[in-house]
């Protein structure tokens, strides 16, 4: 896509590509590179092309066989991130920093190296939440759930409808030596367990729907996966549960909110 369209393209593709993507920008074009099983190649090319077309983006969508250096390529895009000088999220091949809570993430095929603005925003919002029970809806690689455990929250439940995410969260929780109750479930089709804090970094539609799927309003909700223009509709849905905005972060074209009850 053209570099001017890349943010809109990413916003449109976030729910179609839960496995994430890497990005290469060069003069006059931006490439978003993702992985799909070879058997899904044709369908993926059509779906992605149509999705971009719908929002008026001119794109070229092509498929290529996985390169031998693909994993190394991903490695080059996976760097440590530091949140407010208190927490470091890092890939296993980099070092921890003394005095910072350490979260080690190998995402595999699941979404979540910690680098995406939505994840960074959720991590920042989580830092000041008093410890309690947490449910992380759409846990991806487990980065937010593991960070919650590091910050003293207990119990922590992670839910995802993608088996690759459940596998990645389970593996990363074990690698970090923390206990997370990881469940394979569709958050829109089943009851989400009660918790003091609900975290959801999914999509605008799912974040809004989630407010009506909870049996008890949480004390805190940390929400992301939508753009700043969507903040009013998200806030309205959650205000029905008595939650109000306590913090709003806008970063790289994405929004993250911390809502508190009362
Ligand atoms: C944007 S990723 C966020 C991953 C991780 N929480 C992070 O911040 O890095 C969204 C995740 O939500 C999951 N997801 C999307 N819709 C879902 C649904 N209806 N029920 C459960 N999980 C869902 C996807 O599989 C994906 O892992």
């Amino acid at each position: 896509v053209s570099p001017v369209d890349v943010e809109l393209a990413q916003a449109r593709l976030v729910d179609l590509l839960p496995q994430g993507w890497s990005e290469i920008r060069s003069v006059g074009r931006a490439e978003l590179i993702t992985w799909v099983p070879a058997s899904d190649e044709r369908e993926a090319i059509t779906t992605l092309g149509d999705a971009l077309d719908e929002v008026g983006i001119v794109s070229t969508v092509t498929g290529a066989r996985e390169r031998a250096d693909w994993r190394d390529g991903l490695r080059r895009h996976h760097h440590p991130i530091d949140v407010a000088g208190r927490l470091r999220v890092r890939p296993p091949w980099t070092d921890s920093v003394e005095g910072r809570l350490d979260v080690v993430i190998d995402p595999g095929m699941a979404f979540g190296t910690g680098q995406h603005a939505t994840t960074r925003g959720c991590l920042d919002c989580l830092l000041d939440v008093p410890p309690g029970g947490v449910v992380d809806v759409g846990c991806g690689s487990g980065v937010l759930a593991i960070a919650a455990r590091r910050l003293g929250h207990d119990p922590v439940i992670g839910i995802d409808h993608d088996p690759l995410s459940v596998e990645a969260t389970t593996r990363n929780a074990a690698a970090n030596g923390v206990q997370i109750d990881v469940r394979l479930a569709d958050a829109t089709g089943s009851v989400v367990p009660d918790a003091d804090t609900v975290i959801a970094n999914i999509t605008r539609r799912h974040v809004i729907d989630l407010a009506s799927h909870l049996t008890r309003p949480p004390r805190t909700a940390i929400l992301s996966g939508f753009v700043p223009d969507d903040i009013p509709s998200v806030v309205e849905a959650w205000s029905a549960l008595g939650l109000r905005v306590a913090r709003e972060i806008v970063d790289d074209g994405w929004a993250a909110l911390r809502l508190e009850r009362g």
Side-chain angles (χ1 to χ4, degrees):
V1 298
S2 157
V4 294
D5 288 332
V6 71
E7 271 161 22
L8 179 59
Q10 298 195 42
R12 180 64 194 90
L13 298 182
V14 71
D15 55 339
L16 294 174
L17 299 176
Q19 69 273 36
W21 55 80
S22 61
E23 185 187 324
I24 300 175
R25 292 198 198 206
S26 49
V27 179
R29 76 189 222 155
E31 272 181 82
L32 302 174
I33 301 165
T34 192
W35 180 94
V36 296
S39 55
D40 295 347
E41 180 181 338
R42 276 170 177 278
E43 194 189 335
I45 290 174
T46 310
T47 308
L48 297 174
D50 287 352
L52 294 172
D53 205 33
E54 266 169 28
V55 289
I57 295 178
V58 177
S59 65
T60 307
V61 186
T62 56
R65 291 285 162 256
E66 182 179 336
R67 297 191 312 260
D69 64 351
W70 178 79
R71 282 200 168 269
D72 291 343
L74 270 193
R75 277 188 167 217
R76 282 198 295 276
H77 292 280
H78 189 176
H79 305 294
I81 61 141
D82 291 300
V83 187
R86 285 175 56 195
L87 179 88
R88 167 164 283 211
V89 178
R90 64 180 176 93
W93 53 89
T94 61
D95 293 327
S96 60
V97 172
E98 215 182 307
R100 267 182 216 167
L101 296 172
D102 192 36
V103 175
V104 183
I105 294 292
D106 185 348
M109 296 311 306
F111 180 101
T113 57
Q115 292 171 122
H116 198 266
T118 57
T119 311
R120 291 196 314 257
C122 289
L123 288 167
D124 214 332
C125 285
L126 187 58
L127 286 178
D128 297 320
V129 178
V134 165
V135 60
D136 177 13
V137 181
C139 55
S141 63
V143 54
L144 300 174
I146 295 167
R149 285 293 278 136
R150 281 274 181 271
L151 288 161
H153 296 272
D154 189 23
V156 176
I157 301 170
I159 296 178
D160 208 291
H161 65 172
D162 179 356
L164 290 171
S165 296
V166 169
E167 183 275 321
T169 298
T170 306
R171 181 170 38 74
N172 283 319
N176 283 272
V178 298
Q179 180 80 37
I180 293 179
D181 176 356
V182 194
R183 304 180 187 178
L184 178 67
D186 181 344
T188 55
S190 48
V191 172
V192 172
D194 287 338
D196 300 308
T197 299
V198 171
I199 309 175
N201 177 15
I202 28 180
T203 59
R204 171 188 172 271
R205 184 167 60 83
H206 284 135
V207 166
I208 288 175
D209 287 353
L210 183 60
S212 56
H213 275 89
L214 302 175
T215 51
R216 179 168 70 84
R219 187 180 66 199
T220 305
I222 295 175
L223 309 173
S224 192
F226 45 90
V227 296
D229 284 353
D230 295 329
I231 291 176
S233 54
V234 170
V235 170
E236 189 189 336
W238 285 77
S239 66
L241 299 178
L243 279 85
R244 307 272 172 270
V245 178
R247 179 129 189 246
E248 181 179 311
I249 297 173
V250 172
D251 181 12
D252 210 10
W254 294 94
L257 298 174
R258 194 179 83 225
L259 307 179
E260 300 283 354
R261 202 169 58 209

